[in-house]
Amino acid sequence: MRTQIKNGTVVTASDTFPADVWLENGKVAALVAHGTELGTADHTVDAAGKYVMPGGIDAHTHMDLPFGGTTSSDDFYTGTVAAAHGGTTTIVDFAIQSKGGSMRAGLDTWFGKAEGKAAIDYGFHMIMTEANPSALEEMAGMIREGITSFKMFMAYPGVFLVDDQQIFRAMQRAGELGGLITMHAEIGLPIDVMVQQALAKGHRAPVYHALTRPEVAEATGTERAIALAEMAGVPVYMVHLSAQRALERVCEARDRGLPTYAETCPQYLFCSEDDLRGVPGDEWQGAGYVCTPPLRPKHHHDHLWRGLRNYDLQVVATDHCPFCMKDQKELGKNDFSKIPNGMPGVETRHYLLWEGVVQGKISMNRFVEITSTAPAKIFGMYPKKGSIAVGADADVLVWDPKREKILGKDTLHMRVDYSPFEGRKVVGAPAAVFSRGELVVENDVWVANRQQGRGQFIRRGTFSL
Ligand code: URP
Ligand code: ZN
Ligand code: ZN
Protein backbone atom coordinates (compact mmCIF):
# COMPACT_ATOMS: atom_id res chain seq x y z
CA MET A 1 0.00 0.00 0.00
CA ARG A 2 1.49 3.35 -1.11
CA THR A 3 -0.01 6.53 0.25
CA GLN A 4 0.81 10.07 -0.77
CA ILE A 5 0.06 12.98 1.56
CA LYS A 6 0.46 15.88 -0.84
CA ASN A 7 0.70 19.67 -0.63
CA GLY A 8 1.02 19.81 3.16
CA THR A 9 3.48 21.53 5.49
CA VAL A 10 5.55 19.08 7.49
CA VAL A 11 6.08 20.07 11.13
CA THR A 12 8.62 18.23 13.26
CA ALA A 13 10.09 19.14 16.63
CA SER A 14 12.80 21.09 14.84
CA ASP A 15 11.59 22.08 11.36
CA THR A 16 8.65 23.37 9.35
CA PHE A 17 8.79 22.87 5.57
CA PRO A 18 6.58 22.15 2.57
CA ALA A 19 6.79 18.52 1.41
CA ASP A 20 4.83 15.62 0.01
CA VAL A 21 5.10 12.63 2.33
CA TRP A 22 4.99 9.07 0.98
CA LEU A 23 4.07 6.13 3.17
CA GLU A 24 4.81 2.55 2.16
CA ASN A 25 4.65 -0.77 4.01
CA GLY A 26 3.81 0.96 7.27
CA LYS A 27 6.83 3.26 7.14
CA VAL A 28 7.60 6.78 5.99
CA ALA A 29 9.17 6.12 2.59
CA ALA A 30 10.02 9.59 1.28
CA LEU A 31 9.72 13.32 1.87
CA VAL A 32 9.97 15.27 -1.37
CA ALA A 33 9.27 18.75 -2.73
CA HIS A 34 5.62 19.34 -3.58
CA GLY A 35 4.74 17.84 -6.94
CA THR A 36 7.81 15.60 -7.28
CA GLU A 37 6.87 12.56 -9.41
CA LEU A 38 7.38 9.31 -7.50
CA GLY A 39 5.03 7.01 -9.40
CA THR A 40 1.47 6.16 -8.54
CA ALA A 41 -0.11 6.05 -5.12
CA ASP A 42 -2.85 3.64 -4.01
CA HIS A 43 -4.31 6.44 -1.94
CA THR A 44 -3.79 10.20 -1.89
CA VAL A 45 -4.67 12.68 0.83
CA ASP A 46 -4.57 16.35 -0.09
CA ALA A 47 -3.09 18.22 2.87
CA ALA A 48 -3.09 21.71 1.32
CA GLY A 49 -3.45 24.26 4.12
CA LYS A 50 -2.76 21.55 6.72
CA TYR A 51 0.15 20.45 8.86
CA VAL A 52 1.68 16.98 8.65
CA MET A 53 3.09 15.89 11.99
CA PRO A 54 4.15 12.73 13.79
CA GLY A 55 1.21 11.02 15.50
CA GLY A 56 0.84 11.82 19.16
CA ILE A 57 2.43 9.70 21.86
CA ASP A 58 0.61 9.71 25.17
CA ALA A 59 3.13 8.46 27.71
CA HIS A 60 0.67 8.27 30.61
CA THR A 61 -2.67 6.47 30.35
CA HIS A 62 -4.66 4.10 32.55
CA MET A 63 -6.98 1.90 30.51
CA ASP A 64 -8.93 -0.78 32.40
CA LEU A 65 -7.29 0.21 35.68
CA PRO A 66 -8.73 -1.20 38.92
CA PHE A 67 -8.56 1.79 41.25
CA GLY A 68 -10.54 3.29 44.12
CA GLY A 69 -12.96 0.36 44.29
CA THR A 70 -13.87 0.44 40.61
CA THR A 71 -12.21 0.22 37.18
CA SER A 72 -11.39 3.07 34.80
CA SER A 73 -14.19 3.20 32.27
CA ASP A 74 -12.14 2.99 29.05
CA ASP A 75 -10.56 -0.33 28.22
CA PHE A 76 -7.76 -0.76 25.69
CA TYR A 77 -10.28 -0.90 22.86
CA THR A 78 -12.46 2.12 23.60
CA GLY A 79 -9.58 4.19 24.97
CA THR A 80 -7.28 3.67 22.00
CA VAL A 81 -10.03 4.33 19.46
CA ALA A 82 -10.70 7.61 21.29
CA ALA A 83 -6.97 8.38 21.36
CA ALA A 84 -6.72 7.96 17.59
CA HIS A 85 -9.68 10.29 17.01
CA GLY A 86 -7.74 12.94 18.90
CA GLY A 87 -4.50 12.44 16.94
CA THR A 88 -2.64 10.07 19.25
CA THR A 89 -1.20 6.94 17.65
CA THR A 90 0.76 5.44 20.57
CA ILE A 91 0.06 5.14 24.27
CA VAL A 92 2.23 3.98 27.13
CA ASP A 93 0.01 2.55 29.85
CA PHE A 94 0.87 1.16 33.29
CA ALA A 95 1.03 -2.51 34.28
CA ILE A 96 1.01 -3.15 38.02
CA GLN A 97 3.09 -5.43 40.19
CA SER A 98 0.55 -6.29 42.89
CA LYS A 99 1.85 -6.31 46.47
CA GLY A 100 3.38 -9.72 47.14
CA GLY A 101 3.16 -10.53 43.43
CA SER A 102 5.72 -10.54 40.64
CA MET A 103 6.14 -7.99 37.88
CA ARG A 104 5.89 -10.86 35.41
CA ALA A 105 2.39 -11.68 36.66
CA GLY A 106 1.44 -8.00 36.50
CA LEU A 107 2.76 -7.67 32.97
CA ASP A 108 0.90 -10.79 31.82
CA THR A 109 -2.32 -9.38 33.25
CA TRP A 110 -1.83 -6.15 31.31
CA PHE A 111 -0.87 -7.98 28.11
CA GLY A 112 -4.18 -9.81 28.55
CA LYS A 113 -6.05 -6.50 28.80
CA ALA A 114 -4.42 -4.97 25.71
CA GLU A 115 -3.83 -7.82 23.25
CA GLY A 116 -6.66 -8.23 20.77
CA LYS A 117 -8.17 -4.95 21.95
CA ALA A 118 -5.84 -2.00 21.36
CA ALA A 119 -6.53 -0.17 18.10
CA ILE A 120 -3.18 1.70 18.10
CA ASP A 121 0.31 0.77 19.28
CA TYR A 122 1.01 0.57 22.98
CA GLY A 123 3.77 0.03 25.49
CA PHE A 124 3.83 -0.37 29.25
CA HIS A 125 5.56 1.16 32.21
CA MET A 126 5.64 -1.06 35.31
CA ILE A 127 4.24 0.23 38.60
CA MET A 128 6.51 -1.13 41.34
CA THR A 129 4.72 -1.63 44.64
CA GLU A 130 7.74 -3.32 46.23
CA ALA A 131 11.46 -3.11 45.60
CA ASN A 132 12.55 -6.20 47.53
CA PRO A 133 15.48 -8.33 46.27
CA SER A 134 13.35 -10.43 43.94
CA ALA A 135 11.68 -7.35 42.44
CA LEU A 136 15.06 -5.72 41.89
CA GLU A 137 16.21 -8.91 40.17
CA GLU A 138 13.07 -8.98 38.03
CA MET A 139 13.70 -5.49 36.67
CA ALA A 140 16.28 -6.97 34.28
CA GLY A 141 13.66 -9.30 32.77
CA MET A 142 11.22 -6.40 32.38
CA ILE A 143 13.81 -4.38 30.50
CA ARG A 144 14.50 -7.34 28.19
CA GLU A 145 10.74 -7.38 27.44
CA GLY A 146 10.81 -3.69 26.52
CA ILE A 147 9.33 -2.44 29.79
CA THR A 148 12.10 0.05 30.38
CA SER A 149 10.47 2.50 32.78
CA PHE A 150 9.07 1.99 36.26
CA LYS A 151 6.64 4.14 38.22
CA MET A 152 6.97 4.48 41.97
CA PHE A 153 4.64 6.30 44.36
CA MET A 154 5.31 8.46 47.39
CA ALA A 155 1.51 8.72 47.72
CA TYR A 156 -1.36 6.31 48.43
CA PRO A 157 -0.19 4.64 51.69
CA GLY A 158 -1.19 0.98 51.86
CA VAL A 159 -1.81 0.81 48.12
CA PHE A 160 1.13 2.01 46.06
CA LEU A 161 3.38 3.93 48.48
CA VAL A 162 6.98 2.74 48.71
CA ASP A 163 9.54 4.14 51.15
CA ASP A 164 12.70 6.07 50.28
CA GLN A 165 14.94 3.06 50.78
CA GLN A 166 13.00 1.08 48.19
CA ILE A 167 12.93 4.02 45.79
CA PHE A 168 16.67 4.47 46.19
CA ARG A 169 17.42 0.79 45.58
CA ALA A 170 15.15 0.73 42.53
CA MET A 171 16.84 3.85 41.19
CA GLN A 172 20.30 2.31 41.59
CA ARG A 173 19.14 -0.87 39.87
CA ALA A 174 17.47 1.09 37.05
CA GLY A 175 20.74 2.94 36.60
CA GLU A 176 22.65 -0.34 36.20
CA LEU A 177 20.15 -1.65 33.67
CA GLY A 178 19.41 1.49 31.64
CA GLY A 179 15.90 1.79 33.02
CA LEU A 180 14.14 5.01 34.07
CA ILE A 181 12.30 5.59 37.36
CA THR A 182 9.25 7.80 37.09
CA MET A 183 7.80 9.30 40.27
CA HIS A 184 4.42 10.18 41.68
CA ALA A 185 5.88 12.70 44.06
CA GLU A 186 3.27 13.73 46.60
CA ILE A 187 4.16 12.80 50.17
CA GLY A 188 1.20 10.60 51.00
CA LEU A 189 1.56 9.98 54.74
CA PRO A 190 0.81 13.53 55.95
CA ILE A 191 -1.80 13.88 53.18
CA ASP A 192 -3.67 10.94 54.68
CA VAL A 193 -3.67 12.66 58.08
CA MET A 194 -5.07 15.83 56.52
CA VAL A 195 -7.78 13.79 54.78
CA GLN A 196 -8.82 12.12 58.05
CA GLN A 197 -8.86 15.47 59.85
CA ALA A 198 -11.00 17.08 57.14
CA LEU A 199 -13.49 14.21 57.27
CA ALA A 200 -13.62 14.42 61.07
CA LYS A 201 -14.64 18.08 60.70
CA GLY A 202 -17.47 17.03 58.40
CA HIS A 203 -15.87 18.24 55.16
CA ARG A 204 -17.25 15.97 52.47
CA ALA A 205 -17.27 17.95 49.19
CA PRO A 206 -14.98 17.22 46.22
CA VAL A 207 -12.96 20.43 46.70
CA TYR A 208 -11.49 18.98 49.91
CA HIS A 209 -9.54 16.61 47.68
CA ALA A 210 -7.42 19.63 46.72
CA LEU A 211 -7.44 21.28 50.14
CA THR A 212 -5.96 18.14 51.73
CA ARG A 213 -3.23 17.70 49.11
CA PRO A 214 -1.42 21.05 49.22
CA GLU A 215 1.18 22.20 46.75
CA VAL A 216 3.93 21.82 49.36
CA ALA A 217 3.28 18.07 49.51
CA GLU A 218 4.11 17.80 45.82
CA ALA A 219 7.05 20.23 45.97
CA THR A 220 8.59 18.29 48.87
CA GLY A 221 8.08 14.95 47.16
CA THR A 222 9.61 16.33 43.99
CA GLU A 223 12.64 17.63 45.86
CA ARG A 224 13.05 14.30 47.65
CA ALA A 225 12.78 12.25 44.46
CA ILE A 226 15.37 14.48 42.80
CA ALA A 227 17.67 14.10 45.82
CA LEU A 228 17.35 10.32 45.76
CA ALA A 229 18.11 10.25 42.03
CA GLU A 230 21.10 12.51 42.53
CA MET A 231 22.44 10.22 45.27
CA ALA A 232 21.89 7.20 43.02
CA GLY A 233 23.47 9.04 40.07
CA VAL A 234 20.53 8.36 37.76
CA PRO A 235 17.93 10.30 35.76
CA VAL A 236 14.42 10.69 37.13
CA TYR A 237 11.12 11.61 35.45
CA MET A 238 8.36 13.32 37.40
CA VAL A 239 4.88 12.30 36.23
CA HIS A 240 1.85 14.61 36.21
CA LEU A 241 3.57 17.69 37.67
CA SER A 242 0.83 20.15 38.63
CA ALA A 243 2.23 23.12 40.51
CA GLN A 244 4.62 26.06 40.52
CA ARG A 245 6.73 25.01 43.49
CA ALA A 246 7.21 21.46 42.21
CA LEU A 247 8.31 22.96 38.91
CA GLU A 248 10.76 25.22 40.72
CA ARG A 249 12.38 22.12 42.25
CA VAL A 250 12.73 20.64 38.75
CA CYS A 251 14.19 23.89 37.39
CA GLU A 252 16.76 24.07 40.21
CA ALA A 253 17.82 20.48 39.54
CA ARG A 254 18.12 21.06 35.80
CA ASP A 255 20.06 24.28 36.40
CA ARG A 256 22.51 22.19 38.42
CA GLY A 257 22.86 19.92 35.39
CA LEU A 258 20.93 16.96 36.79
CA PRO A 259 19.09 14.71 34.33
CA THR A 260 15.67 15.58 35.75
CA TYR A 261 12.67 15.34 33.44
CA ALA A 262 9.03 16.17 34.01
CA GLU A 263 5.64 15.91 32.37
CA THR A 264 2.52 17.91 32.98
CA CYS A 265 -1.02 17.22 31.75
CA PRO A 266 -3.69 19.33 30.01
CA GLN A 267 -5.87 19.36 33.13
CA TYR A 268 -3.16 21.29 34.99
CA LEU A 269 -2.91 23.80 32.14
CA PHE A 270 -6.64 24.29 31.49
CA CYS A 271 -8.59 23.38 34.66
CA SER A 272 -8.29 24.71 38.20
CA GLU A 273 -9.37 24.33 41.79
CA ASP A 274 -12.44 26.41 40.85
CA ASP A 275 -13.68 23.48 38.76
CA LEU A 276 -13.39 21.24 41.82
CA ARG A 277 -15.74 23.57 43.68
CA GLY A 278 -18.53 22.58 41.27
CA VAL A 279 -21.20 25.01 40.11
CA PRO A 280 -23.32 27.27 42.35
CA GLY A 281 -25.80 25.05 44.17
CA ASP A 282 -24.14 21.84 43.01
CA GLU A 283 -20.72 21.31 44.54
CA TRP A 284 -20.89 17.61 43.60
CA GLN A 285 -20.14 18.50 39.95
CA GLY A 286 -16.58 19.05 41.13
CA ALA A 287 -16.18 15.27 41.39
CA GLY A 288 -15.55 15.11 37.65
CA TYR A 289 -12.36 17.10 38.27
CA VAL A 290 -10.94 14.93 41.06
CA CYS A 291 -7.52 13.74 39.98
CA THR A 292 -4.19 13.39 41.74
CA PRO A 293 -2.22 15.60 42.20
CA PRO A 294 -5.26 17.85 42.45
CA LEU A 295 -6.10 20.79 40.24
CA ARG A 296 -4.42 23.95 41.52
CA PRO A 297 -5.47 27.61 41.62
CA LYS A 298 -5.37 29.28 38.20
CA HIS A 299 -2.13 31.19 38.70
CA HIS A 300 -0.20 27.92 38.29
CA HIS A 301 -1.16 27.75 34.61
CA ASP A 302 1.25 30.49 33.56
CA HIS A 303 4.13 28.82 35.37
CA LEU A 304 3.48 25.49 33.67
CA TRP A 305 3.22 27.11 30.23
CA ARG A 306 6.50 28.89 30.88
CA GLY A 307 8.03 25.56 31.93
CA LEU A 308 6.95 24.05 28.62
CA ARG A 309 8.30 26.98 26.66
CA ASN A 310 11.63 26.98 28.52
CA TYR A 311 12.24 23.22 28.22
CA ASP A 312 11.98 22.68 31.99
CA LEU A 313 8.92 20.51 31.31
CA GLN A 314 9.55 18.03 28.51
CA VAL A 315 6.25 16.23 27.96
CA VAL A 316 2.50 16.74 28.05
CA ALA A 317 0.79 13.40 28.69
CA THR A 318 -2.81 12.98 29.76
CA ASP A 319 -2.91 10.67 32.81
CA HIS A 320 -6.15 9.52 31.13
CA CYS A 321 -8.00 7.71 33.91
CA PRO A 322 -11.74 8.16 33.31
CA PHE A 323 -14.52 7.28 35.71
CA CYS A 324 -18.20 7.90 34.96
CA MET A 325 -20.07 10.27 37.26
CA LYS A 326 -22.82 7.66 37.60
CA ASP A 327 -21.91 4.71 39.80
CA GLN A 328 -18.17 5.47 39.75
CA LYS A 329 -17.49 9.02 40.93
CA GLU A 330 -20.69 8.54 42.96
CA LEU A 331 -18.78 6.15 45.22
CA GLY A 332 -17.57 9.31 46.92
CA LYS A 333 -20.85 11.23 46.97
CA ASN A 334 -20.69 11.66 50.74
CA ASP A 335 -16.93 11.38 51.20
CA PHE A 336 -14.49 13.12 48.87
CA SER A 337 -11.75 10.62 49.78
CA LYS A 338 -13.76 7.83 48.13
CA ILE A 339 -14.15 9.60 44.77
CA PRO A 340 -12.05 7.55 42.31
CA ASN A 341 -9.11 9.70 41.23
CA GLY A 342 -8.74 10.48 37.57
CA MET A 343 -10.04 12.43 34.59
CA PRO A 344 -10.66 11.58 30.93
CA GLY A 345 -8.21 13.16 28.49
CA VAL A 346 -6.62 10.82 25.96
CA GLU A 347 -8.67 12.31 23.12
CA THR A 348 -8.56 16.01 23.95
CA ARG A 349 -4.81 16.66 24.40
CA HIS A 350 -4.10 17.98 20.90
CA TYR A 351 -7.26 20.09 20.69
CA LEU A 352 -6.40 21.84 23.94
CA LEU A 353 -2.67 22.29 23.43
CA TRP A 354 -3.27 23.76 19.98
CA GLU A 355 -4.93 26.68 21.80
CA GLY A 356 -1.47 27.26 23.30
CA VAL A 357 -0.03 27.47 19.77
CA VAL A 358 -2.74 29.83 18.56
CA GLN A 359 -2.24 32.05 21.63
CA GLY A 360 1.54 32.11 21.09
CA LYS A 361 2.36 30.25 24.31
CA ILE A 362 4.29 27.53 22.45
CA SER A 363 5.45 27.16 18.85
CA MET A 364 4.13 24.48 16.49
CA ASN A 365 7.48 22.71 16.72
CA ARG A 366 7.30 22.70 20.48
CA PHE A 367 3.73 21.35 20.21
CA VAL A 368 5.09 18.40 18.22
CA GLU A 369 7.98 17.94 20.61
CA ILE A 370 5.92 17.79 23.82
CA THR A 371 3.17 15.62 22.33
CA SER A 372 5.34 13.18 20.39
CA THR A 373 9.09 13.57 19.91
CA ALA A 374 10.16 14.07 23.52
CA PRO A 375 8.16 11.13 24.93
CA ALA A 376 9.49 8.96 22.07
CA LYS A 377 13.07 9.89 23.02
CA ILE A 378 12.68 9.70 26.80
CA PHE A 379 10.85 6.37 26.69
CA GLY A 380 13.00 4.54 24.15
CA MET A 381 10.80 4.65 21.04
CA TYR A 382 12.78 7.09 18.89
CA PRO A 383 13.27 7.19 15.87
CA LYS A 384 10.72 4.42 15.23
CA LYS A 385 8.11 6.76 16.72
CA GLY A 386 8.06 10.51 17.30
CA SER A 387 9.16 11.96 13.96
CA ILE A 388 8.36 12.22 10.28
CA ALA A 389 11.58 10.72 8.97
CA VAL A 390 12.35 8.14 6.29
CA GLY A 391 12.19 4.68 7.88
CA ALA A 392 10.11 5.76 10.87
CA ASP A 393 6.73 4.14 11.54
CA ALA A 394 4.17 5.93 9.41
CA ASP A 395 2.22 7.26 12.40
CA VAL A 396 1.12 10.56 10.92
CA LEU A 397 -1.30 13.24 12.00
CA VAL A 398 -2.64 15.61 9.36
CA TRP A 399 -3.77 18.63 11.35
CA ASP A 400 -6.32 21.08 10.03
CA PRO A 401 -5.76 24.39 11.83
CA LYS A 402 -9.14 25.72 10.60
CA ARG A 403 -11.39 22.80 11.52
CA GLU A 404 -13.73 23.57 14.42
CA LYS A 405 -15.13 21.24 17.03
CA ILE A 406 -17.23 21.56 20.15
CA LEU A 407 -15.83 19.30 22.84
CA GLY A 408 -18.37 17.31 24.82
CA LYS A 409 -19.31 13.84 25.95
CA ASP A 410 -21.41 13.29 22.83
CA THR A 411 -18.83 14.60 20.34
CA LEU A 412 -15.88 12.72 21.80
CA HIS A 413 -15.27 8.98 21.79
CA MET A 414 -14.05 8.23 25.31
CA ARG A 415 -16.33 5.86 27.22
CA VAL A 416 -17.31 8.22 29.99
CA ASP A 417 -20.55 10.02 30.79
CA TYR A 418 -19.21 13.57 31.10
CA SER A 419 -16.54 15.83 29.68
CA PRO A 420 -14.52 18.27 31.80
CA PHE A 421 -14.58 20.53 28.71
CA GLU A 422 -18.28 20.25 27.84
CA GLY A 423 -19.26 22.90 25.28
CA ARG A 424 -15.76 24.27 24.71
CA LYS A 425 -15.22 25.36 21.10
CA VAL A 426 -11.80 24.54 19.72
CA VAL A 427 -10.28 25.52 16.38
CA GLY A 428 -7.75 23.06 14.98
CA ALA A 429 -8.46 19.34 14.70
CA PRO A 430 -7.20 16.13 13.09
CA ALA A 431 -8.13 15.82 9.41
CA ALA A 432 -6.48 12.42 8.98
CA VAL A 433 -4.68 10.02 11.31
CA PHE A 434 -2.43 7.22 10.06
CA SER A 435 -1.22 4.37 12.24
CA ARG A 436 1.69 2.43 10.71
CA GLY A 437 0.69 3.68 7.26
CA GLU A 438 -2.98 2.82 7.54
CA LEU A 439 -5.51 5.64 7.47
CA VAL A 440 -7.51 4.99 10.64
CA VAL A 441 -9.42 8.23 11.21
CA GLU A 442 -10.53 10.77 8.62
CA ASN A 443 -12.57 13.85 9.53
CA ASP A 444 -13.49 12.38 12.90
CA VAL A 445 -14.70 9.06 11.44
CA TRP A 446 -12.99 5.71 11.94
CA VAL A 447 -12.27 4.45 8.41
CA ALA A 448 -9.88 1.48 8.77
CA ASN A 449 -11.38 -1.98 8.32
CA ARG A 450 -10.01 -3.22 11.57
CA GLN A 451 -10.27 -1.60 14.94
CA GLN A 452 -9.92 -4.03 17.83
CA GLY A 453 -6.53 -5.65 18.06
CA ARG A 454 -4.78 -3.81 15.22
CA GLY A 455 -2.43 -2.11 17.72
CA GLN A 456 0.96 -3.69 18.33
CA PHE A 457 2.98 -3.92 21.52
CA ILE A 458 6.09 -1.72 21.43
CA ARG A 459 9.20 -3.22 22.94
CA ARG A 460 10.89 -0.04 24.10
CA GLY A 461 14.63 0.59 24.27
CA THR A 462 16.61 1.58 27.33
CA PHE A 463 17.08 5.17 28.44
CA SER A 464 19.71 6.88 26.31
CA LEU A 465 19.34 10.66 26.47
O1 URP B 1 -5.80 10.83 39.46
C1 URP B 1 -5.00 10.11 38.91
N1 URP B 1 -3.88 10.62 38.52
N2 URP B 1 -5.26 8.81 38.71
C2 URP B 1 -4.38 7.86 38.19
C3 URP B 1 -3.35 7.38 39.16
C4 URP B 1 -2.08 8.20 39.14
O2 URP B 1 -1.60 8.53 40.22
O3 URP B 1 -1.54 8.47 38.09
ZN1 ZN C 1 0.40 9.12 39.77
ZN1 ZN D 1 -1.48 8.19 36.28
Side-chain angles (χ1 to χ4, degrees):
M1 176 79 170
R2 297 186 87 213
T3 300
Q4 182 194 28
I5 305 172
K6 68 175 188 186
N7 300 328
T9 300
V10 173
V11 183
T12 69
S14 56
D15 300 301
T16 306
F17 56 95
D20 292 345
V21 180
W22 287 75
L23 316 179
E24 198 165 351
N25 299 328
K27 303 283 182 192
V28 176
L31 284 84
V32 292
H34 285 165
T36 305
E37 209 30 81
L38 280 189
T40 50
D42 302 306
H43 183 64
T44 299
V45 169
D46 190 349
K50 304 189 175 81
Y51 299 115
V52 183
M53 312 169 167
I57 297 176
D58 190 341
H60 189 151
T61 66
H62 300 283
M63 308 300 175
D64 202 355
L65 171 73
F67 195 51
T70 184
T71 300
S72 60
S73 57
D74 266 319
D75 62 16
F76 277 83
Y77 170 46
T78 60
T80 54
V81 167
H85 278 87
T88 287
T89 49
T90 301
I91 61 165
V92 190
D93 207 273
F94 291 80
I96 303 180
Q97 168 210 23
S98 59
K99 270 202 197 303
S102 67
M103 291 190 219
R104 179 73 256 174
L107 182 59
D108 287 343
T109 302
W110 259 263
F111 273 139
K113 289 171 186 272
E115 274 169 5
K117 284 201 144 192
I120 57 168
D121 293 352
Y122 59 94
F124 293 116
H125 312 279
M126 176 59 65
I127 289 179
M128 287 182 74
T129 54
E130 283 172 318
N132 54 27
S134 76
L136 295 171
E137 190 53 44
E138 253 202 302
M139 287 170 78
M142 288 298 110
I143 285 179
R144 277 196 298 276
E145 290 255 11
I147 315 300
T148 53
S149 43
F150 302 84
K151 182 177 178 187
M152 303 188 88
F153 288 76
M154 292 176 164
Y156 303 126
V159 185
F160 289 134
L161 183 143
V162 278
D163 63 32
D164 283 7
Q165 205 172 64
Q166 296 186 71
I167 294 169
F168 185 62
R169 286 191 199 284
M171 283 177 166
Q172 286 182 322
R173 180 75 173 140
E176 283 164 22
L177 297 167
L180 178 64
I181 298 294
T182 74
M183 286 299 309
H184 182 131
E186 290 175 296
I187 48 170
L189 291 168
I191 285 173
D192 263 22
V193 175
M194 291 184 75
V195 169
Q196 294 317 318
Q197 289 171 344
L199 289 172
K201 284 187 194 147
H203 298 317
R204 305 269 140 180
V207 71
Y208 284 94
H209 177 70
L211 302 181
T212 55
R213 306 183 87 90
E215 178 186 9
V216 61
E218 188 183 353
T220 304
T222 304
E223 180 167 353
R224 222 166 80 193
I226 291 168
L228 292 168
E230 184 176 2
M231 287 161 69
V234 298
V236 66
Y237 177 97
M238 317 308 303
V239 293
H240 49 43
L241 188 144
S242 72
Q244 176 188 356
R245 283 174 62 184
L247 176 59
E248 283 167 4
R249 300 291 89 82
V250 170
C251 295
E252 283 161 17
R254 291 178 64 81
D255 286 349
R256 285 196 293 121
L258 292 175
T260 304
Y261 304 93
E263 87 188 5
T264 189
C265 311
Q267 54 271 35
Y268 302 120
L269 295 161
F270 291 91
C271 304
S272 78
E273 200 177 277
D274 292 347
D275 294 305
L276 265 172
R277 293 181 191 277
V279 292
D282 189 2
E283 57 186 18
W284 170 246
Q285 287 312 310
Y289 296 87
V290 168
C291 61
T292 305
L295 301 178
R296 307 295 184 185
K298 276 200 179 102
H299 69 86
H300 291 264
H301 295 177
D302 286 347
H303 295 278
L304 297 178
W305 280 110
R306 194 164 57 239
L308 287 170
R309 229 178 7 257
N310 290 354
Y311 294 81
D312 287 316
L313 293 169
Q314 288 70 46
V315 172
V316 178
T318 63
D319 198 2
H320 175 75
C321 191
F323 296 101
C324 290
M325 293 296 280
K326 188 166 164 25
D327 294 339
Q328 296 198 295
K329 292 282 185 183
E330 272 174 6
L331 292 168
K333 190 98 198 204
N334 298 310
D335 176 350
F336 71 89
S337 72
K338 295 197 166 56
I339 300 170
N341 293 188
M343 287 174 63
V346 78
E347 189 176 357
T348 42
R349 183 174 59 141
H350 284 73
Y351 293 114
L352 293 167
L353 289 180
W354 190 256
E355 287 189 10
V357 175
V358 172
Q359 292 168 8
K361 290 175 173 162
I362 50 171
S363 68
M364 277 197 297
N365 307 95
R366 191 71 185 132
F367 173 88
V368 168
E369 192 164 17
I370 62 182
T371 56
S372 181
T373 313
K377 288 182 175 172
I378 291 172
F379 292 112
M381 292 178 276
Y382 189 83
K384 178 179 164 66
K385 307 281 189 193
S387 191
I388 304 277
V390 173
D393 279 3
D395 292 350
V396 180
L397 167 58
V398 180
W399 185 259
D400 183 346
K402 295 210 170 75
R403 193 182 163 90
E404 296 180 357
K405 185 173 170 89
I406 308 287
L407 304 183
K409 70 176 167 49
D410 298 328
T411 63
L412 295 164
H413 301 79
M414 298 173 283
R415 188 165 65 183
V416 60
D417 63 1
Y418 76 102
S419 168
F421 301 103
E422 192 65 49
R424 187 185 189 108
K425 182 178 161 187
V426 288
V427 183
V433 181
F434 293 85
S435 163
R436 274 178 286 102
E438 184 178 16
L439 182 62
V440 290
V441 174
E442 194 169 28
N443 297 327
D444 219 12
V445 176
W446 186 277
V447 291
N449 288 335
R450 231 173 125 213
Q451 220 171 25
Q452 290 214 44
R454 65 167 299 292
Q456 294 178 357
F457 170 67
I458 305 159
R459 192 179 283 265
R460 294 182 293 114
T462 50
F463 181 81
S464 65
L465 279 185

